[in-house]
Amino acid sequence: MSVQDPYATLGVARSASPDEIKSAYRKLARQYHPDVNPNNPEAEEKFKEISQAYAILGDPEKKARFDQFGSVEDTGFGGGQGDFFQGGGFGDLFEAFFGGQQAQPRARGGARDGDDLRAEAVIELVDVLEGKEVPVKFRKAARCETCSGSGTSDGSKPTTCSECQGRGSVTAVRQTMIGSIRTSTPCPKCRGEGITIENPCSTCRGEGVTPVQEELFVTIPPGIDGGQTLRVQGKGSDGIRGGSNGDLYVVVHVAEDKRFIREGRNLGTEVEITYAQAAIGDVIAVEGLTENLELNIEPGTQPGDTFRIKNQGLPRIGGGTRGDLFVEAKIVVPKKTSQAEANLLKEYSELRGEPVPQGPGKSANIFEKIFKRK
Ligand SMILES: [Zn+2]
Ligand SMILES: [Zn+2]
């Protein structure tokens, strides 16, 4: 969710003064505040938009940036609803206006979900053909083996937090400039988990998890593109006390193969042929991804002509028919010629009625030569 035009959202002119902006915001915030509109998702959405708009226009720096670039993308306020209520970029706003973040933790008897993690994998271009199982290393928070994630020692049980009675949140009513606001914040004593550990496990100090180095074999599917991310469900950090495991996101890099350039499913390569091969035609070997391939050079092939070898590219993601290999002909001119070779080339030129080359520095007059050629 992002506000397209904060001026329109707050209903103020672009020339509005800071006081006018603030006043418009307060009026709308009072009207749409969730406490005034319980169980009204539309009002809640509107309230968020208003708050977002004011987060931009109420901040001179962000307002200037919006005025200049006409965008809020770069303001660090592009977060979704989750960020909003968990204080992602709006913490300061709620801090300023409501005296606390609008976090609504729901304690689940101490259950804590594991974090999602990110790891990287590198494969060769040739592995894109059939996919590959690769080892991926990363650090994760693993369920403590000593206490099986309970965080307690000697098999004792966590107790219900006395501060929040296990709810995980504490509420407070505050007087603010837009009226009295009920705020709900994570319980400071139990950090929102709803439990207290009286006798913490000595291995994990009551955290229930310990950091470990993990190595996991991940199956990279055929046809993957460099930079694509695979999600491995449940392989992130461990959840504890009934919480679910996080996921592992593996960013796949495909190493450069100097022989080929890749464009989606197709591959491109170059092959050197001689002037004689280009003129007369030939059958040559071309290096394919996994094996040498036969390529028919047509008579009269010109420099830069491209041949297509079907089904020698890469498959679509997940497999299937391969793309094609495009081979560009590079015609190589000999760097040196012997006297006998030069004589044959001159003879050949004469036979074709072409200018007969005399060698560098031998022609009498370059302009005369151009003239004669015509
Ligand atoms: Zn508590
Ligand atoms: Zn432990």
Side-chain angles (χ1 to χ4, degrees), residues 20-316:
E20 283 168 332
I21 290 169
K22 195 172 191 175
S23 150
Y25 165 65
R26 278 194 210 164
K27 197 174 154 218
L28 290 167
R30 255 188 233 117
Q31 189 181 341
Y32 290 102
H33 193 278
D35 283 0
V36 189
N37 302 273
N39 304 320
N40 183 344
E42 267 174 41
E44 193 179 315
E45 195 59 31
K46 183 84 182 159
F47 179 70
K48 278 183 223 159
E49 276 173 33
I50 294 159
S51 305
Q52 243 183 336
Y54 187 68
I56 297 159
L57 298 186
D59 180 320
E61 210 175 287
K62 283 166 194 149
K63 180 176 182 294
R65 209 185 300 168
F66 180 85
D67 289 343
Q68 192 179 351
F69 300 110
S71 160
V72 293
E73 294 308 316
D74 203 24
T75 58
F77 283 84
Q81 186 174 331
D83 290 341
F84 186 82
F85 275 122
Q86 279 143 37
F90 289 87
D92 52 346
L93 176 74
F94 278 102
E95 209 63 53
F97 283 86
F98 308 117
Q101 296 173 11
Q102 295 281 303
Q104 308 258 342
R106 250 168 285 141
R108 296 169 295 155
R112 196 199 299 155
D113 294 337
D115 286 335
D116 291 339
L117 300 175
R118 179 193 151 106
E120 321 244 341
V122 182
I123 59 168
E124 301 295 326
L125 184 65
V126 65
D127 297 329
V128 174
L129 208 50
E130 294 184 330
K132 199 184 185 187
E133 202 167 80
V134 293
V136 171
K137 286 182 181 164
F138 57 101
R139 281 177 75 77
K140 68 178 244 183
R143 192 173 294 116
C144 172
E145 286 177 5
T146 310
C147 64
S148 307
S150 71
T152 59
S153 66
D154 308 327
S156 63
K157 287 215 156 73
T159 50
T160 302
C161 174
S162 57
E163 185 83 19
C164 64
Q165 281 80 43
R167 282 195 304 275
S169 60
V170 288
T171 50
V173 178
R174 286 164 187 272
Q175 297 305 318
T176 72
M177 64 179 88
I178 63 167
S180 87
I181 300 286
R182 181 185 295 272
T183 58
S184 182
T185 54
C187 171
K189 191 179 177 197
C190 64
R191 292 178 301 175
E193 289 185 352
I195 56 161
T196 314
I197 291 166
E198 308 289 351
N199 301 305
C201 162
S202 58
T203 307
C204 65
R205 294 197 184 89
E207 288 297 322
V209 288
T210 51
V212 295
Q213 183 70 34
E214 184 88 321
E215 188 178 68
L216 187 75
F217 277 84
V218 174
T219 306
I220 313 270
I224 198 149
D225 239 324
Q228 282 185 313
T229 302
L230 300 173
R231 174 167 169 259
V232 190
Q233 203 173 354
K235 294 297 181 187
S237 284
D238 290 342
I240 54 164
R241 297 186 291 255
S244 51
N245 292 352
D247 298 330
L248 176 69
Y249 290 86
V250 181
V251 183
V252 181
H253 303 280
V254 179
E256 192 191 349
D257 187 323
K258 294 221 184 306
R259 300 173 301 166
F260 302 102
I261 51 164
R262 179 182 183 182
E263 260 190 53
R265 290 198 303 146
N266 296 326
L267 292 174
T269 192
E270 276 181 352
V271 68
E272 291 189 341
I273 56 173
T274 67
Y275 173 86
Q277 283 176 308
I280 300 165
D282 203 358
V283 178
I284 62 162
V286 173
E287 207 176 345
L289 199 53
T290 53
E291 57 183 343
N292 280 343
L293 307 166
E294 204 178 86
L295 178 63
N296 214 25
I297 300 288
E298 298 293 327
T301 292
Q302 302 297 308
D305 275 1
T306 300
F307 298 89
R308 176 200 289 238
I309 307 180
K310 286 208 164 247
N311 302 326
Q312 291 296 330
L314 297 166
R316 248 180 257 287

